[in-house]
Amino acid sequence: MSHGGTVNKAQSGHNYLSGLRPWNGRGGFSLQELREVLKWLDDPQDKVPTVHIAGTNGKGSVSAAVASILGQAGYRVGMNISPHLERINERIYIDGLQCSDEFLGEFAYEIKQASNRALVELSFHEAITAIAFLGLKEVGVDWTVLEVGLGGRLDASNVISRPAATAIVTISYDHQNILGDTLAEIAAEKAGIVKPGSPLVTGILPKEADVVISSKASGVPHYKFGREFDARIISAEGQDRFEYWGKEFLPGKNITFEYGSQLPGVHQGHNLAVATTLGLLIGCSPEACKLGVEGAFWPGRLESVKFEGLELVMDCAHNTAGIKALISFLESTGARGIDLTFGVLEGKNWKEMITALAPYVRTWRLLLPDSERALPQELLRQELPLSGTDVRVECYGSDYERCLRDITSQAEGGKAFVTGSMYMVGRLRGMLSLPEKPLWTKVVKQ
């Protein structure tokens, strides 16, 4: 193959990707069309051992931590996530680094060819998931960590036949227009990833969600937080530390160890315990699990960065449960009267979100997420619960440059927060020109 041919294929692949529609739900949707495309490619989704992870919140952190555990065990690991923060390359990682433009383009071309042969038109989410399956198999990863994009039962990632293990990290309200209006309905969609013969790990779940998932998991090994494994917070000087406990993952022997985290927030003790349990179930040592969870990085989740003398804390709290975790962090650090940049999509429980945040905010900076589904700022401003005369509100529309300029020049105490839609946090984060930091590292076995 000539170099010119490779370039042309890659460009054709990128053109194909950019022309696909996103998946926002459609009537009569099924996974059959994606399966037909993958069949033309010899079913790459079932050629690499996979860990499949769902949940309303926390699934990204768990995915990164499981990949990190496998990396510490010496494996070459691929990861497929959804959505991305800044660029689509983030949807596929290999050994902790984003895939290259060439990888995306060339394997997109292969998916385009297979789609043409199958007479199928994939959505963007389906195509990028297929690229991950094919590309990660072709580059020879030992494991794939697969994060569900939305729901579980009908998510493109759910075409795999038998994952090595599955997890449902949390269940709370989000995407009700697609997944259902009750926690039981949402849980039923998430539980669609449960497969016969594949152990399931679940985090802390509401009772009505737990009932649904436990019923679906009848007959498969089911490891529940608080029953087969647990984590408790250990007070430490300025940094959260946790103790993991797992029941007889080794014959006749419980597993306990302490761990810290690069991921701030006490809720990460729970997420990393889920990841540890997954690691143990697929055969990683307790040592690899400890080093893996301590070494995992996940951007845009209570991520603190320095920018022009300012500490900027960015958190993709895009639903009520995420906001509660952020508030727990604010409480633990004693933060009050904060400078907050906020934007949200239509369809979210945004009134609950701003009501919960209001007691902590002195300056609201309203910024439109980079999405056609962005909630109009006029609506948001009208509903802001402004308690006290010292609360400020600034509306920026889509003027990200002016917003960032004002944050850096006006934020009191040298600290500001950004939260809400991933589309907003990601775009603002991209303007900071941060160097790429690996999500995990691979340990080379001697």
Side-chain angles (χ1 to χ4, degrees):
M1 182 190 296
S2 70
H3 180 67
T6 302
V7 171
N8 291 337
K9 279 188 176 183
Q11 188 57 57
S12 176
H14 282 291
N15 293 343
Y16 164 71
L17 269 183
S18 65
L20 296 176
R21 69 187 186 282
W23 178 65
N24 292 320
R26 61 183 189 268
F29 182 77
S30 79
L31 299 177
Q32 188 54 40
E33 291 181 337
L34 177 57
R35 287 195 176 101
E36 289 174 12
V37 173
L38 292 169
K39 195 177 296 181
W40 279 95
L41 298 164
D42 195 26
D43 289 319
Q45 74 276 17
D46 291 325
K47 299 295 192 290
V48 178
T50 300
V51 180
H52 201 190
I53 300 167
T56 307
N57 292 85
K59 60 184 180 290
S61 299
V62 172
S63 297
V66 172
S68 183
I69 288 168
L70 286 163
Q72 287 294 328
Y75 293 109
R76 188 171 199 209
V77 185
M79 183 170 76
N80 177 215
I81 66 165
S82 174
H84 57 272
L85 267 179
E86 298 171 41
R87 54 200 298 258
I88 63 172
N89 305 61
E90 298 167 29
R91 290 180 180 241
I92 303 171
Y93 283 85
I94 302 168
D95 287 339
L97 297 175
Q98 300 169 20
C99 70
S100 66
D101 288 340
E102 292 75 19
F103 177 103
L104 267 183
E106 289 177 28
F107 288 112
Y109 178 83
E110 299 298 329
I111 300 306
K112 174 187 175 184
Q113 297 297 98
S115 298
N116 289 341
R117 289 194 292 269
L119 302 177
V120 164
E121 182 185 342
L122 297 179
S123 67
F124 173 80
H125 180 54
E126 290 169 316
I128 203 80
T129 305
I131 290 166
F133 287 136
L134 179 63
L136 294 175
K137 184 203 75 149
E138 289 296 319
V139 301
V141 300
D142 302 308
W143 283 89
T144 295
V145 178
L146 194 57
E147 180 195 12
V148 170
L150 191 155
R153 181 176 66 93
L154 291 177
D155 186 71
S157 63
N158 204 32
V159 294
I160 56 177
S161 299
R162 186 171 173 177
T166 62
I168 300 172
V169 185
T170 59
I171 298 286
S172 57
Y173 290 105
D174 203 3
H175 302 294
Q176 289 99 306
N177 60 322
I178 298 172
L179 302 181
D181 292 322
T182 68
L183 292 176
E185 288 173 332
I186 294 169
E189 291 297 318
K190 307 281 188 193
I193 71 166
V194 176
K195 302 285 192 303
S198 301
L200 170 69
V201 179
T202 53
I204 300 173
L205 302 177
K207 185 174 181 179
E208 59 185 291
D210 180 59
V211 168
V212 171
I213 290 170
S214 295
S215 174
K216 176 72 174 178
S218 176
V220 307
H222 186 182
Y223 298 80
K224 293 187 180 186
F225 187 95
R227 191 178 72 180
E228 282 78 20
F229 70 102
D230 211 333
R232 67 182 182 92
I233 188 166
I234 300 171
S235 297
E237 299 167 7
Q239 184 183 18
D240 296 328
R241 287 193 66 79
F242 310 91
E243 182 180 61
Y244 176 84
W245 172 85
K247 182 180 180 182
E248 296 192 10
F249 286 98
L250 301 175
K253 182 181 177 184
N254 293 338
I255 293 172
T256 61
F257 60 83
E258 286 187 26
Y259 58 98
S261 172
Q262 294 187 58
L263 310 177
V266 293
H267 59 287
Q268 292 295 358
H270 164 268
N271 293 342
L272 298 180
V274 172
T276 293
T277 304
L278 287 167
L280 294 169
L281 285 172
I282 59 177
C284 297
S285 68
E287 293 75 21
C289 291
K290 172 182 167 61
L291 292 171
V293 297
E294 291 189 331
F297 170 64
W298 192 232
R301 277 71 176 182
L302 287 173
E303 179 186 11
S304 178
V305 301
K306 298 290 186 184
F307 180 74
E308 295 189 4
L310 175 76
E311 181 184 0
L312 200 55
V313 181
M314 295 173 290
D315 190 43
C316 296
H318 57 275
N319 53 37
T320 307
I323 292 296
K324 287 179 179 177
L326 171 59
I327 288 172
S328 176
F329 175 77
L330 295 176
E331 288 280 358
S332 69
T333 57
R336 287 290 193 281
I338 66 171
D339 185 305
L340 179 69
T341 300
F342 183 79
V344 69
L345 299 185
E346 292 179 324
K348 299 289 184 176
N349 293 333
W350 57 272
K351 290 184 182 180
E352 291 180 21
M353 296 165 71
I354 60 176
T355 299
L357 284 167
Y360 302 87
V361 181
R362 178 174 295 143
T363 301
W364 290 90
R365 302 187 189 278
L366 305 184
L367 192 58
L368 279 174
D370 194 9
S371 167
E372 60 187 22
R373 293 180 289 134
L375 182 77
Q377 286 187 352
E378 304 75 35
L379 197 57
L380 189 57
R381 181 167 188 166
Q382 288 171 12
E383 296 289 337
L384 278 181
L386 303 178
S387 54
T389 56
D390 60 340
V391 177
R392 295 175 54 212
V393 182
E394 295 284 346
C395 293
Y396 294 90
S398 296
D399 194 343
Y400 280 69
E401 289 77 10
R402 182 167 71 88
C403 182
L404 186 58
R405 195 163 58 243
D406 283 358
I407 294 170
T408 54
S409 63
Q410 298 172 6
E412 297 177 12
K415 189 170 187 175
F417 291 78
V418 177
T419 199
S421 167
M422 293 182 70
Y423 297 97
M424 180 198 69
V425 176
R427 182 170 167 189
L428 206 53
R429 186 182 187 275
M431 294 168 63
L432 306 180
S433 300
L434 302 174
E436 183 183 355
K437 181 179 178 180
L439 302 193
W440 73 90
T441 55
K442 178 179 180 290
V443 173
V444 179
K445 291 180 178 179
Q446 300 298 319

